Structure formats: structure tokens, C-alpha cells
Amino acid sequence: MNFDLQKIVRENVKNLTPYSSARKEFSGAAQIFLDANENSFGSPLAQNYNRYPDPSQTEIKKKVAQLHNIKPCEIFVGNGSDEAIDLLFRIFCRPQIDNVLICPPTYGMYEVSAAINDVTVQRANLTEDFGFDLNAIQSSIDENTKLLFICSPNNPTGNSFDREKILRVVETFGGIVIIDEAYIHFSREQSFVSEINNFPNLVVLQTFSKAWGLAGLRVGLALANEEIITLFNKVKPPYNVSEIAQQAILRALENKSQAEKTIAEIIEERERLIKRLQKLSCVKKVYPSDANFVLVKTTAAEKIYKFLLAEKIVVRNRNNVELCAGCLRITIGTSEENDNLLEAISKI
Ligand SMILES: Cc1ncc(COP(=O)(O)O)c(C=O)c1O
């Protein structure tokens, strides 16, 4: 592989002097903080939030590092993994010059972030059976392709991609390969986090929004070698993860078994829902899932979607997405929610 990180980073990012926050310049024990223009009186409405949060999310990184057996300097903590996606564009892609590669159907934010950053998207569609098309990927790459997004398990198809094929792409691509593992905890496959020091161009994304059940906090992770993470830290807003979010994430990390229990329950519900859906006459196919949702090919997606809405149940209509004609994406709910869904669909 011909990969040189310094060659693919945007010049303005290389030359950037990052914002130096008051809280970052000071370390040690002080009692009176008059350095950050905070309000020392605080607010009686939400106590203990008058101070800026830790800009480096030190405690979270220590815990995540232990969890993955990596170093804190190999972790970026973002305002959702959506923030990490946006920062990747800002670090590596020159607007109107560079491009990125996605493998549709896939997570929609890669394309939205590209559009916001005025960066072109190349598309190497998955095969009919939602496999990775290595030839299409190779032929879509040019010298300005900076990022290659691989979502595994993939949203909305729910499958994981072949590990060897992914590794071949990481090995051969001269830009950054992003493996988005938002749904990895529901998967039978092994994470790629253990590979971050084997590949200088690998970024793994994970999130607290799915398996950890904390989407409302907006916290996601980018895991990569220290050189890449330093770039993330250089461009991120100084206080990008709120105090409430940091405290709640720490509590979650200290109670890992809680998340593990929920994951097991969701997987059990997923298998039950799949079996029940397969019996319905309006269902043509339920695709295998490594995630907390299932993609279901139906006889009449629009009609079923609207019927469910009238029953006050919202699923995701993917009928107009490439390779997903007739498909609805259904998130695995609680047992009761899934029963209500099944009961509603069986009325059709
Ligand atoms: C594949 C994928 N990546 C990332 C995200 C966003 O995660 P976050 O909530 O951490 O921004 C989602 C959300 O649905 C997703 O499906």
C-alpha cells in the first residue's frame, strides 16, 4: 500500500493552530476558577453544570481504552459518531477537488456530510445479495479519493461484510478506510478495533447510541492510531461532549453488564421477530441481520408503511433506496412493541 498520512491531510488542517481552551491550558488542583468566563453563581434550575466539561474526556477515554485494550490517545470522543464522520471530511477532503467512496445501500449521513462539505461521492453499489463488490470499488477509486466508508454490519441491509475482503480494501487503498461499527455489538463478527495499529489508514467508528441505549446523549467514538486521532482533536470544537453526557457515559461504562444484558435481549427478540415475520403472507423475505433491526422485503412496502403509521407504528420505508425495492427496515423493539407490530401487520 502506498499510504502517507501527511500527504492526504488538507494543508489548512496541517497548518492549523487549534483553539486552546482555558480548561486545557490548566492542569492541577485549583479552588477558584476565574479563567473561562463561566458563571460562578451557577443556575438553581440545573445545578453543577456551570463549568465547561473536560475538553479531553479523559475519564471516558481511560475506560474505553481498557475495554478495547488500546491507548487513550487512540480514541476520539465525539458528539455522536456523526460528528466523527463530519470531521473526517473536514480533515481530509478539499471541497470540489477530492471525493469519497461509499457502497450503497448504506448509512445516509456519509452522503449528507459529503454534500455539506462540497465533496463528490463515488458509488460502488453492493451486489444483489448485499455483498461487497471489490471490482466496483477498485474501479471507482481515483487519485483524489480520500475516504472509503464501509458500514459493517451495514445499515439498512443488516449484514456484515466478509472480513478478508474488508482487510484487502484496507491494505490496498491509499486513503482512509472508515469501518463504521455502529451495530457491531449485535453481530457475530469480531470488531476491527484490534487492527488499528496494523493499518495506518484505518478508522473504526462506534457509538453509544445503539447497544448502550444512549442515543439521546449523542456520544460516539473514532478509534485509530495516535497520528489520526491527533488530527481529530485538532479540528474538533473544544467542548464537544457535554458534562451530562460525559457523566452518564462513565456510569454506563462502569456497568458494562447492563449493556450486555440488553444486547442479549435484543438479539433474542430479533430472532423471534424474524421467525414471526417470515410466516406473514405480505412478507417475501426477511434478510439475515447482525444488527438491532431487520430489513424486510414485502409485497407492498408503501401500503404497509402507511397502514402501520395509521396504527401509530413507525418503521423506516426503504422502498426507494437502491437494491431495496419493497423493503421496510424495522428496528427491534421491546417484546411488547414487537408483538404490537406483528399484530398490526397480520391485519393487512
Ligand atoms: C451506520 C451508522 N453509523 C452512525 C450512526 C450515527 O450514530 P450516532 O448516534 O453516534 O451519531 C448511525 C445511526 O443510525 C448509523 O446507522
Side-chain angles (χ1 to χ4, degrees):
M1 185 215 321
N2 190 9
F3 179 80
D4 180 350
L5 186 66
Q6 289 312 313
K7 271 205 183 126
I8 65 162
V9 177
R10 283 170 68 184
E11 278 305 309
N12 62 315
V13 171
K14 252 193 248 169
N15 300 330
L16 179 75
T17 308
Y19 180 75
S20 177
S21 58
R23 260 325 101 77
K24 224 172 175 177
E25 281 181 359
F26 163 81
S27 71
Q31 281 178 353
I32 299 179
F33 289 96
L34 303 174
D35 58 339
N37 297 347
E38 295 151 336
N39 179 335
S40 293
F41 293 76
S43 165
L45 302 176
Q47 283 174 13
N48 303 326
Y49 295 117
N50 58 326
R51 300 293 173 189
Y52 282 110
D54 174 9
S56 308
Q57 303 101 17
T58 315
E59 295 305 313
I60 292 180
K61 285 181 188 170
K62 272 190 210 158
K63 289 247 149 29
V64 172
Q66 276 169 10
L67 198 67
H68 289 297
N69 199 18
I70 56 176
K71 297 201 261 319
C73 61
E74 293 164 341
I75 301 164
F76 163 76
V77 185
N79 187 245
S81 36
D82 283 346
E83 182 181 30
I85 294 168
D86 179 60
L87 292 184
L88 282 159
F89 280 92
R90 296 211 256 154
I91 295 167
F92 294 108
C93 300
R94 294 165 297 174
Q96 300 188 1
I97 301 173
D98 292 326
N99 65 73
V100 302
L101 179 61
I102 63 170
C103 302
T106 193
Y107 180 45
M109 270 311 281
Y110 310 140
E111 226 171 331
V112 174
S113 269
I116 292 168
N117 288 286
D118 208 0
V119 169
T120 310
V121 174
Q122 315 272 27
R123 310 164 78 83
N125 278 5
L126 299 181
T127 55
E128 283 292 324
D129 58 355
F130 300 147
F132 226 44
D133 189 339
L134 281 180
N135 290 337
I137 289 176
Q138 289 307 342
S139 59
S140 309
I141 292 170
D142 63 37
E143 78 271 15
N144 289 332
T145 310
K146 292 292 179 65
L147 307 177
L148 196 165
F149 287 93
I150 298 173
C151 184
S152 187
N154 188 37
N155 175 8
T157 56
N159 60 308
S160 303
F161 299 118
D162 182 83
R163 192 175 183 87
E164 292 310 312
K165 280 192 180 174
I166 294 180
L167 285 174
R168 217 171 315 151
V169 173
V170 183
E171 263 162 18
T172 51
F173 181 51
I176 301 284
V177 178
I178 298 107
I179 304 183
D180 188 340
E181 295 189 344
Y183 301 98
I184 190 70
H185 304 88
F186 305 104
S187 165
R188 289 154 268 240
E189 299 295 326
Q190 203 195 320
S191 164
F192 280 86
V193 176
S194 56
E195 302 284 353
I196 57 170
N197 283 310
N198 297 335
F199 299 99
N201 61 337
L202 176 62
V203 174
V204 177
L205 301 181
Q206 290 198 356
T207 178
F208 285 90
S209 300
K210 313 293 175 185
W212 294 89
L214 298 169
L217 294 176
R218 308 303 304 123
V219 182
L221 303 171
L223 311 150
N225 64 62
E226 183 175 2
E227 215 184 338
I228 295 180
I229 295 301
T230 304
L231 293 166
F232 274 96
N233 291 331
K234 207 171 172 189
V235 296
K236 82 177 182 73
Y239 302 111
N240 60 327
V241 181
S242 78
E243 181 63 30
I244 292 192
Q246 291 197 38
Q247 285 174 10
I249 293 293
L250 271 179
R251 279 202 302 279
L253 286 165
E254 278 154 15
N255 292 285
K256 209 177 113 217
S257 57
Q258 174 55 45
E260 282 162 356
K261 190 166 156 268
T262 319
I263 294 165
E265 279 171 19
I266 291 173
I267 292 175
E268 203 182 315
E269 273 302 307
R270 178 180 76 196
E271 299 314 310
R272 181 176 79 92
L273 188 66
I274 289 175
K275 282 199 190 109
R276 296 279 302 274
L277 286 168
Q278 279 166 339
K279 292 191 182 133
L280 299 172
S281 60
C282 64
V283 169
K284 282 185 172 170
K285 177 169 184 166
V286 185
Y287 291 93
S289 171
D290 259 354
N292 68 338
F293 58 83
V294 282
L295 188 71
V296 184
K297 199 174 199 61
T298 66
T299 50
E302 299 291 338
K303 193 175 137 205
I304 299 170
Y305 176 73
K306 285 192 187 128
F307 180 86
L308 288 175
L309 271 188
E311 297 279 320
K312 304 209 172 349
I313 298 174
V314 200
V315 297
R316 192 89 153 115
N317 186 355
R318 299 284 80 185
N319 187 35
N320 293 324
V321 171
E322 52 261 269
L323 303 179
C324 294
C327 288
L328 300 174
R329 194 194 68 195
I330 304 177
T331 306
I332 310 302
T334 61
S335 229
E336 196 186 342
E337 287 170 337
N338 300 333
D339 283 343
N340 287 345
L341 169 90
L342 288 163
E343 196 188 320
I345 298 194
S346 61
K347 287 189 211 155
I348 294 172

